[in-house]
Amino acid sequence: MEQENKAFKMMSGRMTFVLASVFVLFLGLIARIVYLQTLMHEQLVSEGENRFERVLKFSAQRGNILDRNGQILSTSTPVDSLAANPLVFCQNRDRWQELAMTLAVEVEHFHERCKLYREARFMYLLRQIPPELAEQAIDIGVPGLEVRREYKRFFPGGPIGAQLIGLTNVDDIGQEGLELKYDDQLTGEEGVQRVLKDRTGRYVEAIDNPRSVRHGSDLQISIDQRIQSLAFRYLEDAVKTHKAAGGSIVLLKIPSGEIISMVNAPQFNPNDRTTVTQGVLRNRVVTDAIEPGSLTKPFTIAMLLEEGRVNPETVVDTDPGQMYIGRNRISDVRNYGELTVTDIIAKSSNVGTVKLALEEPFEKLHRTLGRVGFGYAASDLPGESAGFLPIRKRQIEHATMSFGYGFSATALQIARAYTVFATDGILLPITINPKPAGFVATGKRVFSTKTAVQIRQMLHKVATSQGTASKAQISGYGVGGKTGTTHKLVNGNYKNKDYISLFAGFGPISNPKFVGVVIIDEPRSEQYFGGAVAAPVFSNLMEDVMRIYDIRPDDLKTLISDNTPLTEGSMG
């Protein structure tokens, strides 16, 4: 009996211990629940959200850049990027090897990303990969991995006009050129939505209403990609043929003032960032200010015609082909003897130009050059230089400025200045925005119609066998223009063996529709004069432009003689 009592007591003690233990554990669980639901509530909710809740962002597609005919110059194509939550992804390394093999990267890449973002909640693993590759990566099932849709900029024309169009960065934000200037218009607004995801990173449920994505707006510009392609080819050929350092072409449409072509060499391919080297992003047409040289002479002569000091047949004695101002010699390529004002332009006589220019005060020359736009930016394109039009005090400076030395201008400024001769004396505003057919820009009158027509006649003679630009001629059309060959100015000093070859012109001569400027920088072949290097580029391009735009040929009967005058007011 006594043994039974001992056994009962022992059993009761064990039960009491078990019950007490269960009770203590129960109290512990209750305490833990209270602790987690009160003191740890916010932290746990945050951890849960970080692991299973995401703010899903819908990238906005950047607007296209289109040429005047609707051809795409720049567009954004969809790509995917792999991203991850480091708190999850970096703790699940057992599938990294398979993921690395699928993505063709080293496993060390994941280690480096995890080390760099160990305290972050988000990181990119790989940016802008094909969507099918991203899908393969997600199918591996690495926890914490996710896909984000993005867009990558693509430029169908490659290097053609790349300096004008510009670039975007990896986030599709404009960095250069028109991509930067019109970034606000091109960039949209991303959409967002909070979602739940499973342990593999797949989205399973939306938990609130999204903010809709707003895609960027398209930008249409006045450039004609057909002309761009031709200009690009002719410029590249000229640079290669003459072993030049580079070059530029700009072409304006008359009378709208639209820029229809703007190309530079050397080029880069915006689809291949390895081609982007120092200085290659520069849009030389608007950034590089050079001394325009003999391209200035028509404006000097126009000033004198406007003042009534001379007429096209006024004779100037240039014998013996040189003159001195103090110790400074000004010379022509040879002794032309007596020249009419028309022939001073046709032969590009420095002596004749200076003799006439010095008959008027320097202030008039300076004012004339300023009125045709020198010293002022010609447009609002990115990086544009205003050039340099200083006030000179010495007589030699007065003389050299009359034939294009001592001040500087960009190719676009020169092209704009030449619109005064293509529009019967009106300086046109320049625009990159397309205008409707038949649009006539409202410009500023600089010269009388009579003066502009007289200069146009002179410039027509330049582009004949009697002038310096016989290679600027095109079949079926008369053209006008002026050659230039200047010594290159580097760090304030002229480099005797480095030249810049230039040509500025317009056509057709009877009713100008286009003004173009060609610049070839540092030609190293045997030829370096503007008439031999730059004028043929103008001829080739302008002949194609006339064909593409179906421009009516000039009346060849009235142009059969090189000296046949044009009809005043022929612009209509």
Side-chain angles (χ1 to χ4, degrees):
M1 189 69 174
E2 184 177 349
Q3 289 182 349
E4 291 179 354
N5 289 335
K6 287 182 178 180
F8 178 77
K9 288 180 179 180
M10 184 178 294
M11 182 66 70
S12 298
R14 289 176 178 175
M15 291 182 63
T16 301
F17 175 78
V18 170
L19 291 173
S21 297
V22 170
F23 182 71
V24 170
L25 288 174
F26 181 75
L27 289 178
L29 289 173
I30 295 297
R32 181 63 175 171
I33 291 172
V34 172
Y35 172 73
L36 293 176
Q37 292 294 325
T38 56
L39 299 179
M40 293 293 292
H41 177 74
E42 292 185 3
Q43 180 178 344
L44 292 173
V45 169
S46 177
E47 289 292 335
E49 289 178 349
N50 286 331
R51 292 175 182 269
F52 300 105
E53 183 180 314
R54 276 285 181 270
V55 175
L56 185 61
K57 295 183 178 181
F58 302 92
S59 297
Q61 184 170 11
R62 189 174 178 85
N64 297 324
I65 297 180
L66 311 170
D67 85 337
R68 64 188 302 111
N69 301 309
Q71 183 171 339
I72 294 177
L73 306 179
S74 177
T75 189
S76 291
T77 57
V79 291
D80 283 339
S81 290
L82 286 178
N85 179 354
L87 296 177
V88 180
F89 178 83
C90 298
Q91 302 303 318
N92 291 271
R93 306 188 179 198
D94 56 315
R95 308 298 295 277
W96 280 13
Q97 185 63 48
E98 184 181 357
L99 179 63
M101 291 178 63
T102 299
L103 298 175
V105 299
E106 299 293 333
V107 174
E108 183 60 28
H109 173 71
F110 302 147
H111 287 286
E112 292 175 356
R113 301 301 287 178
C114 284
K115 182 178 179 181
L116 185 62
Y117 292 94
R118 59 182 177 271
E119 297 180 0
R121 305 283 186 179
F122 175 86
M123 66 179 179
Y124 279 112
L125 286 180
L126 218 55
R127 298 292 296 274
Q128 298 186 349
I129 62 177
E132 58 272 16
L133 182 59
E135 185 177 352
Q136 292 175 24
I138 287 296
D139 287 341
I140 294 173
V142 182
L145 190 65
E146 62 181 74
V147 174
R148 292 211 169 185
R149 173 54 54 92
E150 295 186 305
Y151 291 92
K152 183 178 181 179
R153 207 64 167 165
F154 175 67
F155 303 84
I160 299 174
Q163 286 93 346
L164 173 64
I165 302 301
L167 287 172
T168 61
N169 62 13
V170 70
D171 294 313
D172 223 14
I173 298 173
Q175 301 295 297
E176 299 283 346
L178 298 180
E179 294 279 14
L180 174 60
K181 176 177 173 58
Y182 292 98
D183 188 61
D184 288 344
Q185 175 179 335
L186 294 166
T187 301
E189 183 179 6
E190 67 179 9
V192 294
Q193 184 178 34
R194 291 172 62 230
V195 298
L196 292 178
K197 61 172 189 158
D198 61 21
R199 63 181 300 274
T200 64
R202 297 180 186 274
Y203 299 107
V204 295
E205 182 183 357
I207 58 178
D208 68 1
N209 293 323
R211 184 183 73 198
S212 298
V213 63
R214 179 182 63 81
H215 296 299
S217 300
D218 289 346
L219 170 67
Q220 189 166 30
I221 60 176
S222 59
I223 291 294
D224 188 328
Q225 190 68 354
R226 299 170 300 176
I227 309 302
Q228 283 284 78
S229 299
L230 293 166
F232 172 82
R233 186 181 74 193
Y234 292 135
L235 181 61
E236 290 286 293
D237 287 347
V239 168
K240 182 178 180 180
T241 299
H242 297 286
K243 303 174 184 178
S248 302
I249 295 177
V250 60
L251 192 66
L252 308 180
K253 195 169 186 290
I254 305 299
S256 63
E258 298 166 279
I259 302 170
I260 63 170
S261 180
M262 182 179 287
V263 295
N264 299 274
Q267 293 280 3
F268 70 96
N269 188 344
N271 298 312
D272 180 4
R273 298 306 168 94
T274 63
T275 64
V276 179
T277 57
Q278 185 176 6
V280 77
L281 293 173
R282 195 170 74 246
N283 185 358
R284 295 166 178 247
V285 172
V286 299
T287 63
D288 288 15
I290 61 172
E291 291 180 312
S294 294
L295 303 189
T296 308
K297 291 172 183 174
F299 304 105
T300 302
I301 299 302
M303 171 191 71
L304 294 158
L305 291 171
E306 196 79 351
E307 293 289 328
R309 298 296 296 270
V310 298
N311 63 59
E313 300 305 316
T314 299
V315 175
V316 178
D317 187 4
T318 67
D319 184 67
Q322 61 183 19
M323 62 182 290
Y324 283 85
I325 298 177
R327 296 181 179 180
N328 300 284
R329 186 180 69 176
I330 294 171
S331 60
D332 291 335
V333 294
R334 66 181 181 86
N335 182 7
Y336 291 114
E338 291 187 345
L339 291 175
T340 64
V341 169
T342 295
D343 285 330
I344 286 174
I345 294 295
K347 304 297 184 183
S348 198
S349 170
N350 293 335
V351 174
T353 301
V354 170
K355 283 189 173 183
L356 291 175
L358 294 181
E359 293 182 6
E360 293 290 331
F362 171 79
E363 290 73 22
K364 284 189 178 180
L365 175 62
H366 187 273
R367 184 166 59 249
T368 297
L369 296 178
R371 290 181 67 201
V372 297
F374 294 124
Y376 303 92
S379 70
D380 59 352
L381 291 175
E384 184 169 358
S385 168
F388 182 54
L389 185 64
I391 295 178
R392 300 299 190 182
K393 300 295 184 181
R394 298 186 300 158
Q395 188 180 39
I396 183 61
E397 294 171 328
H398 181 181
T400 56
M401 190 175 284
S402 72
F403 59 89
Y405 283 86
F407 75 101
S408 62
T410 66
L412 187 59
Q413 284 178 301
I414 296 170
R416 184 192 183 198
Y418 267 73
T419 64
V420 301
F421 304 133
T423 60
D424 289 350
I426 304 296
L427 181 71
L428 293 180
I430 305 304
T431 182
I432 195 67
N433 300 311
K435 300 299 180 182
F439 178 82
V440 178
T442 301
K444 178 181 66 174
R445 178 162 291 282
V446 176
F447 299 123
S448 67
T449 298
K450 179 180 179 180
T451 295
V453 170
Q454 288 175 332
I455 294 293
R456 194 155 70 239
Q457 292 172 347
M458 298 178 193
L459 294 177
H460 172 51
K461 189 171 184 179
V462 172
T464 67
S465 59
Q466 298 183 41
T468 60
S470 61
K471 292 184 178 179
Q473 299 177 81
I474 61 177
S475 177
Y477 301 87
V479 297
K482 185 71 187 73
T483 59
T485 309
T486 63
H487 286 288
K488 192 168 184 178
L489 187 64
V490 179
N491 297 324
N493 297 307
Y494 290 106
K495 302 180 69 175
N496 290 333
K497 293 184 178 181
D498 287 344
Y499 297 92
I500 300 177
S501 304
L502 310 100
F503 184 82
F506 47 81
I509 194 68
S510 60
N511 189 13
K513 298 295 184 182
F514 305 95
V515 169
V517 169
V518 177
I519 296 177
I520 306 297
D521 184 22
E522 292 185 29
R524 296 291 189 179
S525 65
E526 294 181 1
Q527 300 286 348
Y528 60 86
F529 286 111
V533 176
V537 179
F538 173 87
S539 173
N540 290 333
L541 179 60
M542 193 64 75
E543 186 169 7
D544 286 338
V545 170
M546 298 296 179
R547 172 179 52 81
I548 290 172
Y549 277 84
D550 196 24
I551 302 300
R552 180 179 178 181
D554 285 309
D555 185 349
L556 296 181
K557 292 181 180 179
T558 65
L559 297 174
I560 195 68
S561 168
D562 289 339
N563 294 316
T564 301
L566 303 177
T567 303
E568 184 175 324
S570 60
M571 282 293 294

